[in-house]
Amino acid sequence: MKRIAALILLASLSANAFAFDPFVVSDIRIDGLSRISAGTVYNYLPINKGDQLTNDGAQRAIRALYRTKFFSDVEFDREGSILVIKVVERPSIAKLTLRGNKDIKTDDLKKGLKEIGLTEGETFDRLALDNVQQELIRQYYNRGKYNVSVDPHVTRLDRNRVAVEIEIREGKAAKIKELNILGNHAFTDKQIRDGFESDTSNWMSWYSKDDQYSREKLSGDLEKLQSYYMDRGYADFGVDSTQVAIAPDKRAMYIDASIKEGEIYKVADVKLLGELILPEKTMRQLVFVKAGETFNRAAVEASSKAIKAVLANIGYAYAKVTPIPKLDKEKRTVDLTLYVEPGQRVYVRRVVFQGNTRTEDGVLRREMRQLEGSWYSQAAIDRSKIRLQKLGYFKTVDVDKKLVPGTQDKVDVTVKVEEQSAGSMQFGVGYSQYSGIILNASVSQNNLFGSGDSFSISGERSSYYTRLGLNYYNPYLTDSGIGIGYSASYSKTDYGNTDFANYATSAKSFSTYLGIPISETDGVRVGLGISSNKVNLFPGYSPLVLIDYQNEIGNKTIHTWTGTLGWNHDTRNGYWAPTRGGLISASTDVALPGSTVQYWKLSTELNHYWPIGKGFVLYLDGQVGYGKTYGKNGITDDAYDALAAASKADNPSQSHIITDMRQDLPFWQNYYAGGVRDVRGYQDNTLGPRVCIDGSAPGANGMCNNGAYYAQPIGGSFKVLGTAQVFLPLPFLKDVNTARVSWFMDVGNVYKDYKSFDAKELRASTGLSLQWQAPIGPLIISFAIPLRSKEADRHYEERIQFTFGSQF
């Protein structure tokens, strides 16, 4: 085919170049140009004014213009000493459309087409279109789709333009009907195929697509097979042959792989050669292969990576460690040599940021742990990348290094970021089964004017509460990373028509706090706040124990000075959807002396993420909260004794609530449990202690006064919560930063105090949860099945729970 094309081109050149006597070109004229400028043609033309043109020179010039692929026809003519070049321009591609592609994204296809030369705005070349057709078919063949058809259509448009439409009929991927490993004796088929991405059809194939043949998947599986054997000592293992047969209908594949297991080898000796840089004793601590052990290729590779990592952290950015195994087949031993080539030690000349159109360079630079002018450190680079990701301003963060031209000891580090929206102005309507219809409006900016400061103002209104909030935080008040924040809020609640304790509040507060970093992963938060909260109770509707408590306090309006101290240890590797690392935090809020009621609350949390293979991520979380009053809180000893005695005499069933009332948290500060963000499967804030209006304990069914009404949940001073979640790598959720699905199990409850804790009273649930950053606002949908419930909980159970329009 190429030979025919060459002959056609040669004939065309011969026809377009006339025979003439050599002459000196006094001028050059180009006819037929419309889209391409004459200057562009002159740049490619190997002829200038004053040159003597011969037949051979004309042939070379014509070939040069054809090579530009700008023209479908080129002809030379002569008018006296003027060279006349007549051209016919190729059409330009006005529009490129792809239809029918599902397995390969349009953007990915267009990227590949651009590399071949087929893209909008470029010159149309029929030969390039043919190449594109063959390349697309090859790509689909590699994905096991052998029934694919690719049909290009070219439509002529005005002004010498064309529209190219490529219609793709992907067809269905060929299914693997047989996958046979021949020659395995030491291990079963099930053992060696356990990690394969390719498999015959099974009950999970609808999800994993493992029965769809792909050349890349098969190559990867054979590499895993080799690793499986070599990690277990079979140092001379090999795949002798692989045969792949396709059925006549191109819908079924039959795969046979013949292997040679070989023998198990022991490590006879391990040598470190080359330029070690560090003492050999130190380097040997990084070698995980020991003499006398069974050969393990994974341990050899881990040793190489560990040595390179250590060298990269002290400036040897391009270090190489080459494992050289020498097999003694008679003794079945391996002499292993790790040859170290550290290369030139380099330092960072410059750190350059790209893609931050809104965010100031200084905001990124203050997160960098790799400094300009210092030795290159891979650990510092990795830490810098994590810190930038955790800011939440960027979709992606990529760090690259490149030697400075003309040097061997300097590199420039380029940090490429893709910014995402860090602010929003939102007006919306939300709904939750607990709060009902939620009207909200907010303006927030987590990267205020690109400075890295955060600011938000928000308002929310539902059937039982009104909230207004104003927040500002500057994470770098000082160069050392001390941040300062301010918060002001107003809230009004009325629980009179809800399923828990009937009371209303009206609160105003202001606080300021400092965030103090003490290490790369640890920080301390110190704050001071003031608040005023008016608490209204409703005789005949509110539980008597709450009314008695407020009467003995002697104030409906509670003034509080609050001191806050917190610590956190954060090793998570991401902001929205981490996959490894965890968070340990502890904080205490203290209502300081001079407050109407003096109390303290201590909250702790421990969680961690583990990738467990194939895209699955395990998440475990545990939380404990406890609070208690201190001081007399306005209740004198005599008044307290009188209240307890009267309560015991009038209503003995109430005495267990009144007892130690002075040490319990004030009821408006109690912990609650249950809900879409807590123990799912139960209504929000309904678990834990419940009381009747008269202070008596409810019946086993949770009702009071012989079934007249349900007891009211009043919360408690001690809360425990545990959660286990497995995030699922669903194929239709490619971007985990936008949406995640998880299987969960929640366990928890609230108790009157820590002495009342009883593991038998823990409630549990399991189910599936979807978390989605939807355009209308964050959305959570959970389907939960309560596992541990009592008869009194039935009224509060909810299988499907959802909320949207507010942050989670």
Side-chain angles (χ1 to χ4, degrees):
M1 190 71 180
K2 291 182 178 179
R3 185 175 181 183
I4 294 173
L7 292 174
I8 293 173
L9 178 61
L10 180 61
S12 174
L13 294 176
S14 300
N16 291 342
F18 63 91
F20 51 76
D21 294 329
F23 72 99
V24 176
V25 178
S26 63
D27 200 5
I28 301 173
R29 191 177 80 232
I30 304 173
D31 295 339
L33 296 177
S34 61
R35 181 172 49 85
I36 300 170
S37 66
T40 300
V41 178
Y42 290 141
N43 286 336
Y44 290 100
L45 188 66
I47 302 172
N48 296 309
K49 294 179 182 180
D51 290 350
Q52 186 177 34
L53 183 63
T54 63
N55 284 326
D56 290 342
Q59 296 284 359
R60 287 194 299 272
I62 291 174
R63 282 194 292 269
L65 293 181
Y66 269 116
R67 280 196 297 267
T68 64
K69 299 183 180 180
F70 294 155
F71 311 109
S72 60
D73 188 46
V74 180
E75 182 180 338
F76 277 24
D77 203 350
R78 173 181 177 182
E79 293 181 4
S81 60
I82 298 175
L83 174 62
V84 180
I85 303 176
K86 300 177 181 180
V87 298
V88 177
E89 292 183 352
R90 293 183 187 272
S92 64
I93 302 173
K95 187 176 182 181
L96 176 61
T97 306
L98 294 164
R99 300 188 188 280
N101 57 299
K102 297 178 181 179
D103 200 38
I104 307 178
K105 292 182 180 179
T106 298
D107 290 342
D108 294 338
L109 285 176
K110 284 190 173 182
K111 202 174 292 183
L113 297 181
K114 185 175 182 180
E115 295 176 357
I116 298 175
L118 196 69
T119 186
E120 292 179 359
E122 293 294 326
T123 302
F124 175 69
D125 184 354
R126 172 65 68 173
L127 183 59
L129 186 60
D130 293 339
N131 291 338
V132 164
Q133 185 178 15
Q134 297 303 316
E135 174 61 22
L136 290 179
I137 291 175
R138 185 192 66 80
Q139 288 189 31
Y140 277 100
Y141 276 12
N142 288 342
R143 293 171 180 259
K145 295 194 172 183
Y146 291 96
N147 285 310
V148 66
S149 65
V150 179
D151 298 317
H153 305 283
V154 180
T155 304
R156 291 280 178 177
L157 304 176
D158 59 350
R159 293 180 292 164
N160 198 25
R161 299 176 304 152
V162 296
V164 179
E165 179 180 344
I166 300 177
E167 185 176 358
I168 303 172
R169 297 181 181 88
E170 294 183 339
K172 293 186 177 180
K175 299 294 182 67
I176 301 173
K177 295 300 182 183
E178 291 185 9
L179 176 56
N180 301 313
I181 307 297
L182 308 176
N184 56 305
H185 304 290
F187 305 103
T188 64
D189 285 359
K190 183 178 180 180
Q191 288 175 310
I192 61 179
R193 286 171 51 182
D194 182 55
F196 277 23
E197 294 185 37
S198 303
D199 200 357
T200 54
S201 297
N202 56 78
W203 70 278
M204 281 294 292
S205 294
W206 65 271
Y207 166 72
S208 62
K209 310 296 183 186
D210 56 358
D211 62 342
Q212 294 185 2
Y213 172 76
S214 165
R215 187 178 301 172
E216 283 83 1
K217 283 202 302 184
L218 180 59
S219 298
D221 290 338
L222 293 177
E223 177 60 33
K224 290 177 183 177
L225 179 61
Q226 185 178 33
S227 297
Y228 184 89
Y229 272 91
M230 298 193 76
D231 292 348
R232 289 159 178 79
Y234 293 86
D236 57 352
F237 171 86
V239 178
D240 288 341
S241 64
T242 304
Q243 294 182 350
V244 180
I246 185 169
D249 62 358
K250 298 182 179 180
R251 299 289 299 275
M253 306 294 295
Y254 302 87
I255 304 171
D256 291 329
S258 179
I259 65 173
K260 176 187 174 184
E261 289 185 327
E263 303 292 341
I264 296 178
Y265 285 73
K266 295 284 187 179
V267 178
D269 191 19
V270 180
K271 297 178 181 178
L272 286 171
L273 299 179
E275 189 177 355
L276 302 185
I277 301 298
L278 299 174
E280 183 174 347
K281 183 179 179 181
T282 301
M283 299 294 272
R284 283 199 173 274
Q285 294 177 357
L286 305 173
V287 178
F288 309 119
V289 184
K290 309 298 180 184
E293 295 179 347
T294 301
F295 178 78
N296 186 321
R297 188 172 74 169
V300 174
E301 292 175 350
S303 302
S304 298
K305 290 180 180 179
I307 294 173
K308 285 194 291 185
V310 168
L311 293 176
N313 291 341
I314 57 174
Y316 296 93
Y318 299 97
K320 296 180 182 178
V321 179
T322 306
I324 306 173
K326 184 179 179 182
L327 275 60
D328 187 330
K329 294 189 176 182
E330 291 183 2
K331 297 180 180 179
R332 296 178 187 173
T333 59
V334 179
D335 288 334
L336 178 63
T337 299
L338 296 174
Y339 191 78
V340 180
E341 299 174 88
Q344 181 71 40
R345 193 180 189 189
V346 300
Y347 66 90
V348 176
R349 184 188 69 164
R350 187 175 301 157
V351 177
V352 181
F353 301 100
Q354 296 180 359
N356 54 315
T357 56
R358 294 190 301 270
T359 309
E360 298 173 1
D361 275 12
V363 174
L364 282 79
R365 196 171 295 279
R366 67 194 185 192
E367 303 298 332
M368 294 297 296
R369 293 305 177 255
Q370 174 65 69
L371 304 178
E372 294 179 344
S374 63
W375 293 115
Y376 179 91
S377 170
Q378 188 62 51
I381 292 289
D382 294 341
R383 185 61 196 167
S384 301
K385 183 176 179 179
I386 291 174
R387 290 180 66 90
L388 290 172
Q389 289 172 331
K390 290 172 70 173
L391 289 176
Y393 309 155
F394 312 113
K395 288 183 179 178
T396 60
V397 178
D398 296 308
V399 184
D400 193 17
K401 62 180 182 294
K402 188 176 182 180
L403 281 171
V404 176
T407 69
Q408 295 296 321
D409 62 346
K410 300 177 186 176
V411 294
D412 286 339
V413 173
T414 302
V415 181
K416 296 180 181 179
V417 299
E418 181 184 354
E419 290 184 314
Q420 62 184 2
S421 177
S424 65
M425 180 180 291
Q426 188 178 39
F427 301 89
V429 179
Y431 180 82
S432 79
Q433 286 150 307
Y434 169 55
S435 307
I437 295 177
I438 306 170
L439 302 177
N440 64 72
S442 65
V443 177
S444 64
Q445 178 57 257
N446 292 330
N447 187 12
L448 188 63
F449 307 122
S451 65
D453 296 358
S454 62
F455 170 82
S456 68
I457 182 171
S458 62
E460 248 183 320
R461 178 71 182 269
S462 76
S463 60
Y464 78 91
Y465 68 78
T466 300
R467 292 175 183 166
L468 298 173
L470 179 67
N471 297 279
Y472 171 80
Y473 184 65
N474 175 4
Y476 276 84
L477 177 66
T478 68
D479 292 340
S480 61
I482 296 177
I484 189 169
Y486 305 94
S487 178
S489 67
Y490 169 78
S491 65
K492 187 175 182 180
T493 62
D494 184 353
Y495 301 110
N497 296 316
T498 62
D499 274 333
F500 59 91
N502 282 280
Y503 64 89
T505 65
S506 178
K508 301 179 285 291
S509 68
F510 175 81
S511 63
T512 183
Y513 54 91
L514 293 175
I516 306 171
I518 55 179
S519 73
E520 284 296 316
T521 57
D522 295 74
V524 172
R525 177 170 168 151
V526 181
L528 182 64
I530 184 173
S531 66
S532 174
N533 185 12
K534 185 177 181 180
V535 181
N536 289 317
L537 296 167
F538 313 110
Y541 296 94
S542 301
L544 184 61
V545 61
L546 306 187
I547 295 175
D548 287 343
Y549 187 92
Q550 187 180 65
N551 289 338
E552 290 307 317
I553 293 295
N555 290 283
K556 288 188 176 181
T557 302
I558 310 301
H559 300 287
T560 306
W561 289 90
T562 306
T564 300
L565 177 64
W567 164 82
N568 69 81
H569 174 74
D570 190 352
T571 59
R572 294 172 295 179
N573 67 337
Y575 181 74
W576 294 111
T579 57
R580 64 176 68 247
L583 173 69
I584 304 173
S585 65
S587 65
T588 181
D589 295 322
V590 180
L592 301 173
S595 302
T596 305
V597 180
Q598 298 165 196
Y599 63 88
W600 56 264
K601 296 177 72 174
L602 176 64
S603 300
T604 61
E605 181 176 7
L606 170 63
N607 62 53
H608 204 89
Y609 296 84
W610 292 272
I612 54 178
K614 297 186 177 181
F616 292 88
V617 177
L618 172 64
Y619 170 70
L620 298 179
D621 177 80
Q623 300 178 36
V624 176
Y626 180 58
K628 192 174 182 179
T629 59
Y630 67 96
K632 293 187 177 181
N633 292 308
I635 305 179
T636 65
D637 291 338
D638 292 341
Y640 172 74
D641 292 338
L643 175 64
S647 175
K648 186 174 182 180
D650 296 340
N651 195 343
S653 64
Q654 186 184 353
S655 61
H656 72 282
I657 300 173
I658 297 298
T659 303
D660 292 334
M661 181 178 69
R662 195 165 52 190
Q663 281 72 45
D664 291 343
L665 271 178
F667 60 85
W668 59 88
Q669 287 291 334
N670 273 349
Y671 293 100
Y672 288 88
V676 70
R677 303 179 184 89
D678 207 295
V679 182
R680 286 160 280 198
Y682 300 91
Q683 294 180 23
D684 288 26
N685 303 331
T686 56
L687 295 181
R690 304 184 185 111
V691 296
C692 299
I693 293 176
D694 61 4
S696 62
N701 61 357
M703 302 193 73
C704 302
N705 196 18
N706 296 320
Y709 60 89
Y710 282 96
Q712 299 180 20
I714 61 172
S717 62
F718 182 62
K719 177 179 179 178
V720 293
L721 175 65
T723 296
Q725 291 194 95
V726 176
F727 293 100
L728 310 176
L730 300 181
F732 52 86
L733 293 178
K734 299 296 185 182
D735 186 3
V736 296
N737 289 313
T738 301
R740 299 193 294 180
V741 171
S742 65
W743 168 78
F744 66 83
M745 178 173 286
D746 296 333
V747 178
N749 209 340
V750 168
Y751 300 84
K752 179 180 179 292
D753 53 39
Y754 76 93
K755 295 179 181 179
S756 303
F757 174 78
D758 184 354
K760 295 179 181 179
E761 295 296 321
L762 288 171
R763 302 297 188 261
S765 64
T766 186
L768 296 174
S769 177
L770 167 66
Q771 301 174 18
W772 179 31
Q773 293 279 7
I776 60 173
L779 169 69
I780 304 175
I781 302 176
S782 297
F783 173 77
I785 300 175
L787 298 178
R788 296 186 63 180
S789 290
K790 293 192 174 182
E791 184 182 354
D793 301 321
R794 301 287 188 265
H795 176 65
Y796 302 103
E797 291 181 1
E798 285 182 339
R799 296 296 177 92
I800 298 177
Q801 297 174 303
F802 62 91
T803 180
F804 67 85
S806 60
Q807 292 296 323
F808 63 85

